[in-house]
Amino acid sequence: MFEYEFMREAFIASTFIAITAGLVGVFVVSRNMSFLSHTLSEIGFAGASFGILVGISPLAGMILFTLVSSIAVGSLSSESSRREASISAISSLFIGLGILFLSLSSESSSYATNILFGSIVGISSKEVQQLMILALFVIFVFIIFYKPLAFDSFDHIGARAAGLKTRLLSIAFLVTLALSVSIGAQIVGSLLVFVLLTLPGATAKYVVHTVPKLIMVSVGLSLIGVWLGLYLAFITNWPVTFFISGFEVIAYFLGLSYKNWKLNH
């Protein structure tokens, strides 16, 4: 398998994607922002389509759209009564824009498939380097803001009472979330990138209870999911997204079953 350059590049890229998604996903779940990762994935689809239309890379288009939208959409999280309808409206709008941009571009329909479902064949060395730089930036931001961000994510009221700048922390988190969506979509596609950003973190909370352990379990599940997905996709020629999402869903229900078993014994 590793005799093929595209598989080597895919494994390197997927490793950084998994680490980033697993790390960010813990805070996505703790901050109850799973809905936002799903919305940003659809906004990312429109951004990638826009990039193709204007002649820039799909990744650059994704980053542009998700960065601008993340903070605006994230502000809706405080309006729980209007959240569901607002998010549905925004998601529908950007899916429509993505389809419009693709229809106006001169590229083939295969580009739409790659954007929506990811591609292990189309990852080049240059794109791997870009993903690594973005992933390292996200990790660096989390290292800097780790303690206050963890405090704010798991005890928001206490963080505000302690005088932390929760607004700044929220913006920093939304930026890293937007970048994580753009990074992860390169392998699993914009349609299912939220799987990596929600399920490993949600599974981890069923089996461990401290923040460092949550991060370790979440990152571990993300790594196993993408590595196993790439391997099974190589030997079967089935979509890598199917195997990654299938593994994460199974892991989630196993974690949920373990929690229920612990509660009953």
Side-chain angles (χ1 to χ4, degrees):
M1 178 173 62
F2 291 110
E3 293 178 357
Y4 297 93
E5 182 179 1
F6 77 90
M7 287 303 300
R8 295 196 299 270
E9 302 288 4
F11 263 86
I12 294 172
S14 66
T15 298
F16 280 90
I17 288 170
I19 293 172
T20 305
L23 173 63
V24 175
V26 169
F27 296 90
V28 168
V29 173
S30 66
R31 297 172 79 90
N32 296 317
M33 285 190 168
S34 298
F35 76 96
L36 183 56
S37 66
H38 183 272
T39 303
L40 287 178
S41 68
E42 292 164 345
I43 292 173
F45 165 63
S49 303
F50 177 77
I52 293 173
L53 175 64
V54 300
I56 61 177
S57 72
L59 177 59
M62 267 193 174
I63 293 173
L64 174 64
F65 272 51
T66 55
L67 278 178
V68 172
S69 303
S70 61
I71 296 175
V73 178
S75 64
L76 295 172
S77 62
S78 60
E79 302 290 341
S80 58
S81 61
R82 295 181 296 177
R83 179 190 304 169
E84 185 175 345
S86 299
I87 293 302
S88 298
I90 292 171
S91 298
S92 301
L93 171 63
F94 278 95
I95 289 175
L97 285 174
I99 294 172
L100 173 64
F101 294 149
L102 281 177
S103 67
L104 293 175
S105 70
S106 58
E107 300 294 347
S108 65
S109 60
S110 63
Y111 270 79
T113 303
N114 290 344
I115 293 170
L116 286 170
F117 304 108
S119 173
I120 62 173
V121 180
I123 299 292
S124 65
S125 298
K126 181 179 179 181
E127 289 171 331
V128 171
Q129 292 173 1
Q130 293 173 344
L131 291 177
M132 289 172 61
I133 291 171
L134 289 173
L136 289 172
F137 173 76
V138 170
I139 294 170
F140 178 70
V141 170
F142 266 86
I143 291 174
I144 293 177
F145 291 99
Y146 172 72
K147 287 187 176 180
L149 184 59
F151 190 6
D152 182 45
S153 297
F154 290 88
D155 185 8
H156 180 66
I157 296 176
R160 293 186 64 179
L164 291 181
K165 297 180 179 179
T166 55
R167 179 63 178 171
L168 175 62
L169 291 172
S170 178
I171 293 173
F173 172 74
L174 289 170
V175 169
T176 58
L177 176 58
L179 291 176
S180 299
V181 168
S182 300
I183 294 169
Q186 305 309 302
I187 287 290
V188 296
S190 62
L191 193 64
L192 287 177
V193 65
F194 70 93
V195 169
L196 281 179
L197 285 167
T198 55
L199 288 186
T203 304
K205 72 177 184 178
Y206 291 139
V207 295
V208 292
H209 304 290
T210 64
V211 179
K213 289 181 179 180
L214 284 170
I215 293 173
M216 289 177 61
V217 172
S218 180
V219 170
L221 290 172
S222 295
L223 284 170
I224 295 172
V226 296
W227 287 343
L228 183 63
L230 286 172
Y231 172 71
L232 293 176
F234 177 78
I235 64 176
T236 64
N237 204 30
W238 290 7
V240 63
T241 305
F242 164 72
F243 294 111
I244 294 175
S245 58
F247 171 81
E248 300 299 349
V249 168
I250 291 172
Y252 173 81
F253 282 109
L254 288 175
L256 180 60
S257 299
Y258 173 77
K259 179 185 178 182
N260 291 334
W261 180 82
K262 289 279 289 185
L263 289 174
N264 295 324
H265 292 79

